[in-house]
């Protein structure tokens, strides 16, 4: 009995010591875990602070460089005013204005100043068509004549082959700029569609790139027939409202009554002269009838880069950027950009391939230019760099031909310089490098 009591006592003592040791170990482990979490949080907080400081530094340097670029252009008399947007990742880095809305008035251009977009509108139409295709309301192979019975180009057999994809990619087979004059004269799209029976095709559908305004605009009529909504309503409800593109409009009357609008200008011997706004292309919204500000174009580019998946998925967006037909030759201004390799047209977008000088890597640009009523605009989206650049001008200018590569180089140089700073401070990069 005595031995049992001693054994029991010893057992209890051992268990007590084990419990105490476990408690101490648990306490130490918990303490170490808390210390590790605290250290990780501290490091993350420090990294976040450095990242924020770096972002601010990059933005400041970019603003200085961009201002210097446009101040020089204005001082030399090359441009009157410009609305400029630069988007990188999910951030609108720059949305600003330079110069004057009217050369004879003191009011300056800012990020809210409205410009006419001209053919930058085609990019909106292409994305809308991709959106409707994603929902099953339209298909690229839908025939134009099924939606617009009065349409005819060439004989019946040829007409039956012309699809939505053809008119969105300028491959219908019609001669260059067929009936653009009728668009500018204000005829309705249905009237213009019926006039194409007078046109002799220059190729079978799908074989040749031949730029159009009148035929491209018929895509808006097809989308109306497919949805029961005017293209203006579809664009507003699907994109402009959810993206908070509050200053974007699609009619002449609204633009004419805007206070913060950049007036168009024409060249005269001693400088620039303001012109009146005209109502051309508001009968052909898909081809050239949209008005917008720099801030709205920034929101649009951020969306194109896939940062609003709740509105449209990346896979659906990319449908508009499939290279459908090659733009041959070397005479176009964009074919002379540094490192240019090839150009194709998708659905409302030009798709360029170029080679980076430093690395030799092949990169992509989704691009379009626009010109209407003496406005001249450029938009370029670099998907691999998660970068968008848009410049809206209120005059025709030779500078428009090099704006895109000029600004890309400025942005690239600044971010490449700060990449070194990132490495030195051990701040992780969260946005793709160039």
């Amino acid at each position: 009995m005595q031995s049992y009591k001693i054994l029991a006592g010893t057992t209890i003592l051992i268990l007590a010591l084990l419990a105490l040791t476990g408690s101490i170990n648990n306490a130490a482990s918990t303490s170490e875990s808390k210390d590790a979490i605290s250290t990780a949080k501290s490091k993350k907080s420090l990294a976040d602070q450095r990242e924020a400081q770096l972002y601010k530094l990059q933005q400041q340097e970019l603003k200085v460089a961009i201002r210097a670029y446009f101040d020089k252009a204005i001082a030399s008399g090359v441009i009157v005013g410009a609305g400029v947007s630069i988007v990188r990742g999910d951030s609108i880095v720059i949305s600003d204005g330079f110069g004057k809305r009217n050369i004879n008035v003191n009011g300056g251009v800012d990020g809210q100043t409205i410009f006419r977009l001209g053919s930058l509108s085609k990019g909106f139409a292409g994305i809308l068509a991709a959106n409707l295709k994603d929902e099953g309301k339209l298909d690229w192979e839908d025939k134009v004549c099924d939606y617009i019975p009065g349409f005819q180009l060439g004989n019946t057999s040829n007409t039956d082959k012309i699809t939505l994809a053809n008119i969105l990619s300028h491959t219908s087979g019609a001669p260059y700029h067929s009936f653009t004059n009728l668009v500018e004269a204000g005829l309705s799209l249905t009237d213009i569609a019926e006039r194409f029976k007078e046109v002799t095709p220059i190729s079978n559908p799908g074989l040749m790139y031949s730029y159009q305004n009148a035929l491209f605009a018929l895509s808006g009529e097809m989308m109306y027939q497919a949805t029961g909504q005017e293209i203006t309503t579809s664009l507003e409800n699907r994109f402009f409202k959810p993206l908070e593109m509050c200053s974007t409009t699609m009619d002449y009357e609204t633009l004419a009554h805007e206070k913060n609008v950049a007036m168009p200008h024409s060249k005269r011997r001693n400088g620039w002269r303001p012109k009146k706004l005209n109502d051309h292309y508001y009968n052909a919204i898909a081809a050239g009838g949209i008005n917008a500000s720099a801030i709205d174009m920034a929101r649009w580019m951020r969306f194109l880069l896939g940062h609003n998946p709740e509105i449209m998925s990346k896979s659906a967006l990319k449908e508009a950027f499939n290279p459908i037909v090659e733009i041959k030759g070397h005479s176009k201004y964009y074919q002379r950009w540094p490192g240019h390799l090839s150009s194709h047209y998708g659905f409302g977008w030009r798709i360029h391939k170029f080679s980076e000088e430093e690395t030799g890597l092949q990169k992509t640009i989704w691009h379009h230019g626009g010109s209407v009523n003496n406005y001249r605009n450029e938009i370029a989206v670099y998907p691999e760099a998660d970068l968008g650049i848009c410049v809206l001008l209120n005059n025709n200018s030779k500078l428009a031909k090099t704006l895109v590569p000029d600004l890309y180089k400025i942005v690239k140089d600044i971010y490449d310089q700060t990449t070194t700073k990132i490495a030195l401070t051990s701040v992780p990069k969260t946005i793709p490098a160039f």
Side-chain angles (χ1 to χ4, degrees):
M1 180 63 72
Q2 184 66 28
S3 298
Y4 173 78
K5 287 182 179 180
I6 292 171
L7 180 61
T10 302
T11 302
I12 292 170
L13 179 60
I14 291 171
L15 291 173
L17 288 171
L18 287 173
L20 180 60
T21 302
S23 177
I24 291 170
N25 287 338
N26 286 338
S29 176
T30 302
S31 177
E32 288 173 3
S33 178
K34 287 181 179 179
D35 287 344
I37 292 170
S38 177
T39 301
K41 285 183 178 179
S42 177
K43 286 181 179 179
K44 187 176 185 298
S45 177
L46 182 60
D48 288 344
Q49 289 175 17
R50 288 177 177 172
E51 187 86 19
Q53 290 171 354
L54 184 62
Y55 173 83
K56 188 174 181 180
L57 174 64
Q58 290 168 337
Q59 187 181 40
Q60 289 172 345
E61 290 182 358
L62 193 55
K63 282 184 175 181
V64 170
I66 296 296
R67 178 165 289 281
Y69 179 89
F70 284 100
D71 282 351
K72 181 180 178 181
I74 292 164
S76 64
V78 177
I79 64 171
V80 177
V84 182
S85 309
I86 296 177
V87 172
R88 194 162 189 259
D90 195 26
S91 299
I92 296 174
V93 184
I94 288 180
S95 176
D96 210 344
F98 307 93
K100 290 186 173 184
R101 301 195 302 262
N102 185 323
I103 195 72
N104 296 331
V105 181
N106 287 329
V109 177
D110 59 32
Q112 301 286 346
T113 302
I114 300 170
F115 293 73
R116 293 196 63 184
L117 299 186
S119 285
L120 267 60
S121 305
K122 291 181 171 70
F124 289 84
I127 296 296
L128 176 59
N131 188 231
L132 294 174
K133 192 260 184 185
D134 186 52
E135 292 181 359
K137 292 182 170 64
L138 273 176
D139 190 82
W140 302 127
E141 298 307 310
D142 285 351
K143 297 177 182 178
V144 178
C145 60
D146 286 343
Y147 290 81
I148 309 172
F151 172 73
Q152 182 178 331
L153 175 59
N155 59 30
T156 302
S157 175
N158 187 78
T159 301
D160 286 344
K161 296 174 185 175
I162 299 172
T163 65
L164 175 64
N166 293 141
I167 61 174
L168 285 174
S169 61
H170 306 292
T171 59
S172 63
Y176 180 74
H177 269 296
S178 296
F179 290 144
T180 289
N181 61 318
L182 299 184
V183 175
E184 295 182 350
L187 269 69
S188 71
L189 291 182
T190 51
D191 287 343
I192 294 172
E194 292 178 358
R195 294 287 191 95
F196 272 93
K197 60 178 174 286
E198 305 167 14
V199 175
T200 301
I202 58 174
S203 77
N204 289 327
L207 297 184
M208 181 184 294
Y209 173 78
S210 180
Y211 194 83
Q212 304 290 315
N213 280 313
L215 275 175
F216 190 98
L218 296 184
S219 65
E221 184 65 19
M222 291 182 71
M223 288 186 266
Y224 166 67
Q225 295 296 334
T227 64
Q229 292 186 331
E230 296 287 350
I231 186 173
T232 51
T233 303
S234 292
L235 287 170
E236 184 75 25
N237 291 340
R238 290 169 179 268
F239 304 133
F240 302 158
K241 284 181 180 178
L243 291 172
E244 297 183 353
M245 295 172 64
C246 303
S247 61
T248 302
T249 58
M250 293 163 282
D251 66 288
Y252 169 77
E253 288 300 323
T254 303
L255 184 69
H257 289 90
E258 283 284 353
K259 291 183 179 179
N260 191 4
V261 59
M263 298 301 293
H265 291 76
S266 62
K267 191 73 173 178
R268 60 182 180 183
R269 183 177 300 176
N270 298 320
W272 296 99
R273 176 180 62 188
K275 292 175 63 70
K276 291 182 179 180
L277 296 167
N278 66 41
D279 61 357
H280 297 171
Y281 286 91
Y282 292 111
N283 60 327
I285 299 299
I290 301 178
N291 321 304
S293 63
I295 182 61
D296 279 6
M297 293 307 292
R299 290 169 176 144
W300 175 242
M301 290 190 295
R302 185 172 60 188
F303 162 70
L304 294 175
L305 286 165
H307 296 291
N308 296 97
E310 74 284 0
I311 296 174
M312 192 169 171
S313 69
K314 275 191 174 184
S315 59
L317 280 165
K318 285 183 178 179
E319 289 261 344
F321 303 113
N322 285 325
I324 302 300
V325 60
E326 185 178 4
I327 305 172
K328 298 180 180 180
H330 303 282
S331 62
K332 305 295 185 182
Y333 67 95
Y334 46 78
Q335 292 171 328
R336 296 190 291 272
W337 287 351
H340 177 270
L341 297 172
S342 66
S343 292
H344 289 74
Y345 205 93
F347 297 137
W349 291 90
R350 295 186 180 99
I351 299 98
H352 308 304
K353 293 292 182 180
F354 73 103
S355 176
E356 290 256 70
E357 184 179 355
E358 299 86 350
T359 64
L361 294 174
Q362 188 177 117
K363 300 292 181 68
T364 308
I365 311 174
W366 302 333
H367 160 255
H368 219 289
S371 181
V372 65
N373 196 178
N374 285 78
Y375 292 86
R376 182 67 176 85
N377 314 301
E378 290 284 313
I379 185 171
V381 178
Y382 296 77
E384 291 97 347
D386 213 1
L387 173 72
I389 297 170
C390 182
V391 179
L392 311 175
L393 301 175
N394 58 345
N395 64 280
N396 278 309
S397 172
K398 62 182 182 181
L399 187 67
K401 296 179 179 180
T402 61
L403 274 172
V404 168
D406 287 351
L407 297 192
Y408 177 76
K409 185 177 188 307
I410 290 173
V411 175
K412 183 178 184 300
D413 287 349
I414 287 173
Y415 280 93
D416 280 353
Q417 290 167 12
T418 53
T419 297
T420 304
K421 296 175 185 177
I422 291 173
L424 291 174
T425 55
S426 299
V427 178
K429 286 186 293 181
T430 57
I431 299 174
F434 287 91

